[in-house]
C-alpha cells in the first residue's frame, strides 16, 4: 500500500509517517518510480506506536516495541527491552500518582483552612451592627 492509504488506515498523517521514517521507526520500500510502499506489518508497527503513545509513552520509548515486532515476535511487548520500558513507565506513573496524592492533600488542607476562616469572618461581620458587609457569600457546598 502507498503512504496515503497507510496513513488513513493507521489514523495518522503522511507527514507523521515520514517523520517516523526519518527517526528509523518505519522503513519504506520504494517502487521503481520512487513511491513509498508499505505492508500489513508496517500497519501493525504503527498501531503499536499509537497505542503506546495513547498511554503516554514518548516516541523514543516505543522503539523497543517496534524492534521486537521487526524481529518477528507476535507482539511488541514480549522482548526484554520492551518489558524494561514497561517497568520504567510504571515507576514513572507511580511517582506521578504519589505526587498528585500529595498535592491533593495539600489543596484539601488549604480548602478546610479557608472554609473555617471564611465562616469566622462571616460570623464576625454579622455580630457587629452596622459593621462592614461581607464581600462574598459562602457557597452551600
Amino acid at each position: 500500500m502507498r503512504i496515503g492509504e497507510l496513513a488513513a488506515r493507521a489514523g495518522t498523517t503522511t507527514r507523521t509517517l515520514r517523520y517516523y521514517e526519518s527517526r528509523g521507526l518505519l522503513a519504506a520500500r520504494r517502487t521503481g518510480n520512487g513511491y513509498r510502499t508499505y505492508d500489513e506489518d508496517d500497519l501493525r508497527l504503527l498501531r503499536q506506536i499509537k497505542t503506546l503513545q495513547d498511554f503516554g509513552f514518548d516516541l523514543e520509548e516505543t522503539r523497543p516495541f517496534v524492534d521486537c515486532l521487526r524481529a518477528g515476535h507476535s507482539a511488541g511487548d514480549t522482548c526484554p527491552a520492551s518489558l524494561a520500558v514497561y517497568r520504567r513507565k510504571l515507576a514513572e506513573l507511580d511517582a506521578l500518582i504519589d505526587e498528585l496524592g500529595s498535592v491533593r492533600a495539600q489543596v484539601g488542607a488549604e480548602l478546610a483552612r479557608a472554609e473555617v476562616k471564611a465562616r469566622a469572618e462571616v460570623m464576625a461581620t454579622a455580630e457587629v451592627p452596622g459593621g462592614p458587609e461581607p464581600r462574598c457569600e459562602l457557597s452551600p457546598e
Side-chain angles (χ1 to χ4, degrees), residues 9-100:
R9 289 182 63 191
T12 190
T13 65
T14 58
R15 182 178 179 184
T16 297
L17 298 183
R18 286 186 196 100
Y19 178 71
Y20 290 172
E21 186 179 340
S22 75
R23 299 292 306 267
L25 292 169
L26 185 64
R29 288 153 304 283
R30 300 282 184 158
T31 62
N33 57 3
Y35 289 119
R36 291 174 169 88
T37 62
Y38 303 92
D39 59 25
E40 293 298 318
D41 289 337
D42 296 312
L43 180 59
R44 199 169 82 164
L45 291 176
L46 290 172
R47 287 182 174 152
Q48 177 77 78
I49 292 169
K50 183 171 181 357
T51 297
L52 292 168
Q53 287 190 312
D54 288 347
F55 291 160
F57 288 65
D58 66 36
L59 191 57
E60 197 54 38
E61 289 173 317
T62 69
R63 188 173 301 278
F65 298 85
V66 169
D67 292 344
C68 191
L69 286 171
R70 280 191 182 147
H73 294 270
S74 62
D77 59 3
T78 58
C79 296
S82 303
L83 298 173
V85 172
Y86 272 155
R87 286 185 195 99
R88 280 193 306 269
K89 184 56 77 175
L90 276 176
E92 180 184 312
L93 291 170
D94 287 340
L96 288 171
I97 289 167
D98 290 345
E99 184 178 336
L100 284 173

